[in-house]
Amino acid sequence: MSELKTLSVRKRDGLGKGANRKLRAKTLVPGVLYNAEGLNVPIEMDTLPVEKMFEAVGRTTVFNIELDDNGTKSTHPVLFWQIQYHPVKNRFSHIDFRGVDLDKPVKIRVPLEFTGTSKGVKAGGKLEVYREALDLSAKPLQMPSKITIDLTDLEIGKTISVNDLPLGEGVCAIADRNFAIVAVVSPKGEE
């Protein structure tokens, strides 16, 4: 676990709206750590480090939280789980972290990234994107941060489906059926 990035947080004593407002006034972010064993710990963290961590790992990459509980430190592998933002200011108002067991699969929604210009679009077709994210199951350290789909060879009338995606070893899509992700269709009025 030493290769994982680490975010330092502290256990917080005050609970409720009033205590959270006081934390935010000190540029601290209140949150909750739900560890892998099912316990929840109220925490507080500095704004800048948590913003930098979110920018670096997003919602799909595991990192460590170093919890300082009145001088006793413990480390927990986690993912960003639920994030609440201030309605006007562009900053976090509350964050929940989900503790994970590195040996058990987790389910995460992973974004799709499309690259290249398809042959079908160059020939006058229209690109239709049906999904921008996909639910995947994998062990936390095997989970991709995004899935890149190359559209270069996609022609008019062709689709890329879930089963066509290169997911990697140990990663599987959670889908009821083999639905289409992206397609190139003929322009209107043509057959």
Side-chain angles (χ1 to χ4, degrees), residues 64-136:
N64 283 329
I65 276 190
E66 183 181 71
L67 175 63
D68 183 354
D69 185 358
N70 298 320
T72 305
K73 294 191 177 189
S74 58
T75 303
H76 307 273
V78 297
L79 293 163
F80 280 98
W81 190 18
Q82 293 182 345
I83 299 173
Q84 296 174 9
Y85 293 93
H86 188 280
V88 177
K89 301 171 185 172
N90 188 21
R91 64 179 184 209
F92 298 127
S93 63
H94 192 276
I95 301 174
D96 290 344
F97 298 96
R98 175 181 169 193
V100 294
D101 183 341
L102 297 178
D103 297 322
K104 293 182 181 175
V106 293
K107 297 174 186 174
I108 299 176
R109 178 158 288 181
V110 177
L112 302 173
E113 178 183 79
F114 303 101
T115 61
T117 303
S118 74
K119 293 177 182 178
V121 169
K122 288 180 183 177
K126 180 182 172 195
L127 183 70
E128 290 190 351
V129 178
Y130 305 120
R131 307 273 181 192
E132 294 187 5
L134 188 61
D135 293 329
L136 300 179

Side-chain angles (χ1 to χ4, degrees), residues 31-55:
V32 177
L33 166 63
Y34 296 91
N35 68 14
E37 293 81 36
L39 300 174
N40 59 350
V41 181
I43 57 174
E44 64 184 52
M45 62 217 95
D46 297 315
T47 301
L48 189 58
V50 75
E51 287 175 350
K52 288 184 176 184
M53 182 63 76
F54 185 70
E55 191 175 301

